[in-house]
Amino acid sequence: MTTLGLLHLDNGRTARAFELFGAALSYDPRDTKALLGAGFVIQSAEDYDVALIKYRVSAVHTPDSPELWNNIGLCFFGKGKHVAVRYGWGASVVFPLNKPAKHTP
């Protein structure tokens, strides 16, 4: 379900993606990809505090995810906490990417 949610998210169907992430999390509340996807949808709605809660749970299981720390930095940026932004984005640079960037030629 998480993969299907990610596909819906890529196609701009955020409501359906959020439903699928919720369904995936009902089966496995520690599914880090579903937590990251749900947090992204919540973050896109500018509900940064709730998104940070999702990211906090995900950080317990995958603390070395650059995507996670980038999104945490974006949440702090949205909240106007610029010192915390530097920490989040700095952490995202420290960890190597697990996969190539989506739009690399």
Side-chain angles (χ1 to χ4, degrees), residues 14 18 30 52 54 71 80 89:
T14 55
F18 190 70
R30 295 183 286 177
L52 284 169
K54 296 289 184 195
N71 285 359
W89 285 344

Side-chain angles (χ1 to χ4, degrees), residues 79-94:
K79 292 177 68 162
K81 298 188 176 189
H82 301 292
V83 174
V85 170
R86 291 184 58 176
Y87 175 74
W89 285 344
S92 74
V93 177
V94 171

